[in-house]
Amino acid sequence: MSEKFDVIVVGAGPAGISCAYELAKAGVNVLLIERGEYPGSKNVMGGVLYRKMMEDVIPEFWKEAPLERPVVEQRFMMMDKESAITVGYKGMEWGQEPYNNFTVLRAKFDQWFAGKAVEQGALLVNETVVLECIVENGKVVGVRTDRPDGDLYADVVVLADGVNSLLAKSLGFHKEFRPDEVALATMEIIKLDKKTIEDRFNLEENQGTTIELFGDATKGILGTGFLYTNKDTLSLGVGSLLSGLIKHKIKPYELLEYVKNHPMIRPYIAGGEPVEYLAHMIPEGGYKSMPKVAGNGVLVVGDAAQLVNAIHREGSNLAMKSGQFAAEAVLLAKEREDYSEATLNHYKTRLMSSFVGQDMKKYKDSTHHFDKFPQYFEKYIPMANKAMSQMFTVDGTSKWDKQKKIWRDVGTAGEKLKLARDAYRAWKVMK
Ligand SMILES: Cc1cc2nc3c(=O)[nH]c(=O)nc-3n(C[C@H](O)[C@H](O)[C@H](O)COP(=O)(O)OP(=O)(O)OC[C@H]3O[C@@H](n4cnc5c(N)ncnc54)[C@H](O)[C@@H]3O)c2cc1C
């Protein structure tokens, strides 16, 4: 089976599929290799799919793609043990074409998306693991698979193999990721009657809500939880940096059980039946953890390139955009008949000058900052909850006196100064 292709894409997630789709559309002979039984069978996402980047690949995809609900409301809950401060936005404009984003179930969505790449002419091979890149004279020239006689050759290999990217690591593009560079998330898909979902989340048919959970959802460890509405299921999950889980000696499934029983979440899922349990890593090291993304005959896209904006829970969209840029660089290399790093670096230039690179740079210090200073999640969220409770409890105390008490409760002059300094630092790393 030592066949030669123009391009081999390893991994059929959003990054790999969009790259294969664009290349096949342009008439390139592309092979898409997936280790799972089918694309999506191993993939996990909360799952908000962003319309714009998907539409850049397949216009008006929402008319045929297997989507769950268009999201019309985004809420953010800052949770303490028995309370939560909730902010959010609901807008009817998000419920109409062209929409803002959708909830999806990746097992269905990736399968459909890969089918579209195949329609364009890509060759999809499932249940095949790429074991290593074949390197000759300092250039990647193909891949070794776990199939008998499974060496395959190509002018370019695109590594879209997700968060761990053992392949990029074996090329020396990055080291083993540290526990503070990756998060581990667990989630359940909970079956619930469609009408019950709409009543509980105040939705009409074909409308969806996303709720991001902070603070006590992760027992104060740096991380987030999420609760998203699908058609007749809910996606509930929670994830934290590995370093936080190790430090606090908490197992990821314990966090999920905790959040399921939290008084702010329990009523939403009451009576629901868990039908799927999933766990996956998320690259959260940000800009400073990005590996080398282009080499001689090779490109690295999506999670494999650490392209996740953890602050905005964006990953699939960055993956798709990077896949498109990689395809663009391959087409340029093909035109020049030069697959060297110098030409393929066009990908990096496009990536870093787009919103992908800009957003990665914008939040380059944020995860590390909140990891280094745990008081934001451990102390300030409970403090804000207590302040809200005091302010809105009607007990005959004047509002001025309440404000004074809240301010007193912040602590000593030194603690107040620390709060002000932390607020300034948070603004600095997010601005
Ligand atoms: C719990 C959770 C919630 C998330 N929520 C959101 C969200 O709401 N919105 C959002 O945009 N992003 C979200 N993300 C992030 C998002 O899922 C990823 O950023 C996105 O899937 C990255 O796409 P990818 O194609 O790079 O990688 P993946 O989707 O991981 O795809 C990699 C593919 O490569 C295959 N593969 C790996 N190694 C090999 C090999 N050696 N040989 C062959 N095949 C291989 C895998 O089976 C897989 O199909 C979430 C992630 C998690 C874990």
Side-chain angles (χ1 to χ4, degrees):
M1 155 176 172
S2 50
E3 256 177 87
K4 165 100 194 289
F5 294 84
D6 292 337
V7 181
I8 294 173
V9 179
V10 184
I17 301 172
S18 52
C19 183
Y21 182 97
E22 295 290 355
L23 289 170
K25 197 170 89 176
V28 173
N29 179 17
V30 54
L31 171 68
L32 176 59
I33 305 181
E34 168 56 42
R35 68 178 170 184
E37 192 186 333
Y38 56 85
S41 61
K42 287 193 177 284
N43 295 346
V44 182
M45 182 162 110
V48 177
L49 179 87
Y50 299 90
R51 183 263 309 163
K52 171 73 176 81
M53 290 80 212
M54 183 61 210
E55 195 187 16
D56 289 348
V57 185
I58 302 182
E60 300 196 336
F61 66 95
W62 56 84
K63 294 192 169 153
E64 56 166 311
L67 305 168
E68 292 299 307
R69 289 172 183 265
V71 176
V72 297
E73 182 176 23
Q74 295 194 184
R75 287 186 231 163
F76 303 86
M77 254 192 200
M78 275 153 290
M79 294 159 72
D80 197 3
K81 286 192 179 7
E82 298 210 316
S83 62
I85 301 170
T86 306
V87 291
Y89 174 78
K90 185 169 185 174
M92 289 304 103
E93 76 282 8
W94 284 351
Q96 302 158 22
E97 287 191 15
Y99 303 102
N100 181 34
N101 52 42
F102 303 88
T103 50
V104 294
L105 296 169
R106 288 282 301 272
K108 288 187 200 167
F109 182 79
D110 288 10
Q111 211 173 350
W112 172 83
F113 191 17
K116 299 308 278 184
V118 171
E119 272 176 28
Q120 293 295 332
L123 176 63
L124 169 68
V125 179
N126 293 317
E127 295 183 281
T128 304
V129 179
V130 171
L131 303 171
E132 60 179 336
C133 293
I134 303 171
V135 182
E136 283 173 10
N137 303 322
K139 179 186 181 298
V140 174
V141 294
V143 296
R144 181 146 300 139
T145 74
D146 63 349
R147 296 199 170 214
D149 304 322
D151 286 2
L152 297 162
Y153 292 86
D155 292 325
V156 183
V157 173
V158 178
L159 303 180
D161 52 338
V163 51
N164 278 327
S165 195
L166 298 175
L167 300 171
K169 189 178 153 216
S170 69
L171 292 175
F173 284 17
H174 64 83
K175 299 202 176 83
E176 180 86 45
F177 290 117
R178 296 187 315 265
D180 65 344
E181 291 180 301
V182 278
L184 180 57
T186 50
M187 64 177 279
E188 273 186 11
I189 296 178
I190 300 169
K191 187 143 187 66
L192 204 59
D193 169 70
K194 184 170 173 292
K195 177 83 175 52
T196 308
I197 293 179
E198 284 158 9
D199 289 349
R200 281 187 192 170
F201 288 83
N202 191 26
L203 297 169
E204 288 173 356
E205 202 176 345
N206 206 29
Q207 292 184 341
T209 294
T210 61
I211 312 179
E212 313 301 326
L213 316 170
F214 302 93
D216 198 52
T218 51
K219 293 193 175 187
I221 305 172
L222 179 60
T224 54
F226 57 87
L227 177 61
Y228 300 158
T229 57
N230 303 315
K231 275 190 183 128
D232 57 3
T233 57
L234 299 174
S235 293
L236 175 64
V238 64
S240 280
L241 281 184
L242 271 182
S243 52
L245 293 169
I246 295 166
K247 188 171 152 207
H248 291 84
K249 297 190 173 53
I250 294 182
K251 305 213 167 43
Y253 61 81
E254 288 170 355
L255 273 187
L256 186 58
E257 274 313 302
Y258 182 74
V259 89
K260 279 174 75 179
N261 288 300
H262 195 285
M264 299 299 116
I265 301 302
R266 208 168 47 219
Y268 284 119
I269 61 169
E273 184 202 343
V275 287
E276 247 183 283
Y277 180 86
L278 305 148
H280 209 275
M281 310 263 261
I282 310 176
E284 294 205 351
Y287 179 70
K288 290 178 175 168
S289 303
M290 278 179 68
K292 180 173 163 167
V293 294
N296 291 319
V298 65
L299 291 166
V300 188
V301 296
D303 274 14
Q306 284 259 342
L307 298 177
V308 162
N309 177 346
I311 299 289
H312 289 261
R313 62 104 160 84
E314 294 179 22
S316 62
N317 53 340
L318 310 190
M320 283 176 194
K321 217 27 175 197
S322 66
Q324 274 191 305
F325 289 146
E328 205 180 278
V330 171
L331 294 177
L332 178 75
K334 224 172 137 40
E335 198 184 294
R336 292 186 187 166
E337 293 184 19
D338 169 18
Y339 302 98
S340 67
E341 181 175 333
T343 298
L344 289 176
N345 243 333
H346 172 78
Y347 161 63
K348 187 177 175 191
T349 309
R350 287 284 279 145
L351 191 71
M352 296 320 291
S353 58
S354 73
F355 81 95
V356 179
Q358 296 301 306
D359 287 354
M360 294 296 290
K361 276 188 199 156
K362 175 173 172 13
Y363 297 112
K364 69 181 188 312
D365 293 317
S366 49
T367 305
H368 307 294
H369 176 76
F370 294 116
D371 188 35
K372 190 166 163 204
F373 300 104
Q375 60 265 33
Y376 289 97
F377 278 50
E378 278 175 13
K379 189 173 166 196
Y380 298 145
I381 291 180
M383 191 186 273
N385 271 268
K386 195 169 158 215
M388 285 298 210
S389 170
Q390 283 177 359
M391 201 63 196
F392 295 127
T393 301
V394 177
D395 57 3
T397 312
S398 82
K399 305 300 180 237
W400 270 327
D401 285 344
K402 279 177 181 289
Q403 277 170 216
K404 278 185 210 149
K405 173 150 183 13
I406 290 167
W407 189 232
R408 253 196 330 269
D409 285 354
V410 172
T412 60
E415 282 166 317
K416 288 185 175 105
L417 193 68
K418 191 163 185 282
L419 173 69
R421 201 180 53 208
D422 284 344
Y424 173 70
R425 279 177 173 161
W427 171 78
K428 244 182 109 184
V429 295
M430 301 279 277
K431 79 175 175 12

